[in-house]
Amino acid sequence: MMTQPYLIYIVTVMFLLPVLSVYVEFYFTRKRRRQALQTSAFAYTAVLFKWFVFWAVGVRLLTAGLSQVFHPEMTASILSLPVTADVIVKELGLANLVMGTAAIVSLWAVSWRPTAAFTGALYLGAAGVQHWMRMGQGVTQKEEIAMVSDLAIAALVMLYLIWLWRSSRTARASRPEQA
């Protein structure tokens, strides 16, 4: 199994495409943003995580789901499962498709973003822990890459959600109370 293309894909959806998307968004909207927001650290962080959720959670889970639904033998071989496990792998793929689609749609349905991010982070965190628990059983390089990326995405998304929660609490606390 070639792991280099998989590693390149993971690095691309986790880092390169989110950063490129942020750059493109700010480049094409900088005049409007300067007038409206005075581009703050808050705005940059919100835009970075918008694209991170889209790419690292949405596209990552959607493409994994498509692969699992249409080529279950690939996931079965990565996890050292028998070929007869294709029904279970396809069901896993459907779950990935659903979570990935929700994270992608959250690019336009902003109110979905925290829920899609939280669901994706929980799933990827649990999957990463599951990979980690199998480490002594002779896992493949692809599974090691999946473990590291799953845990990293889960941790970064959880940091985003904590930041979002704290920001919303700070914003509510700074508003004057209405009588």
Side-chain angles (χ1 to χ4, degrees):
M1 261 182 280
M2 293 197 50
T3 56
Q4 188 174 10
Y6 182 64
L7 181 59
I8 290 169
Y9 169 75
I10 295 298
V11 169
T12 300
V13 296
M14 278 184 68
F15 301 110
L16 298 178
L17 290 173
V19 169
L20 180 63
S21 297
V22 169
Y23 175 77
V24 167
E25 180 168 336
F26 276 107
Y27 181 79
F28 286 109
T29 63
R30 67 178 168 210
K31 287 181 185 174
R32 256 186 317 167
R33 281 197 189 278
R34 259 193 227 129
Q35 294 166 354
L37 296 173
Q38 290 298 323
T39 309
S40 64
F42 180 86
Y44 281 112
T45 305
V47 170
L48 175 63
F49 278 106
K50 169 178 79 172
W51 288 110
F52 187 78
V53 168
F54 175 83
W55 288 110
V57 177
V59 171
R60 165 90 187 281
L61 289 177
L62 181 77
T63 57
L66 289 170
S67 174
Q68 290 159 343
V69 167
F70 294 109
H71 303 288
E73 67 281 354
M74 288 176 51
T75 298
S77 71
I78 291 170
L79 299 175
S80 304
L81 298 173
V83 178
T84 56
D86 67 335
V87 172
I88 294 169
V89 173
K90 285 180 180 182
E91 286 189 24
L92 172 66
L94 293 172
N96 280 328
L97 282 170
V98 170
M99 288 182 285
T101 300
I104 288 170
V105 170
S106 79
L107 189 63
W108 300 277
V110 178
S111 63
W112 288 24
R113 192 167 303 135
T115 304
F118 182 71
T119 304
L122 281 180
Y123 171 73
L124 289 167
V129 168
Q130 181 66 27
H131 292 304
W132 176 75
M133 290 172 55
R134 290 174 29 92
M135 288 304 286
Q137 300 172 7
V139 300
T140 65
Q141 263 191 320
K142 275 190 176 180
E143 189 171 357
E144 288 177 2
I145 293 168
M147 176 193 68
V148 170
S149 62
D150 288 353
L151 292 173
I153 292 169
L156 288 170
V157 169
M158 286 303 190
L159 286 173
Y160 157 68
L161 292 169
I162 291 167
W163 170 82
L164 188 64
W165 176 71
R166 289 181 59 118
S167 298
S168 68
R169 283 186 47 172
T170 303
R172 277 195 306 264
S174 66
R175 282 189 226 136
E177 289 196 32
Q178 296 179 358

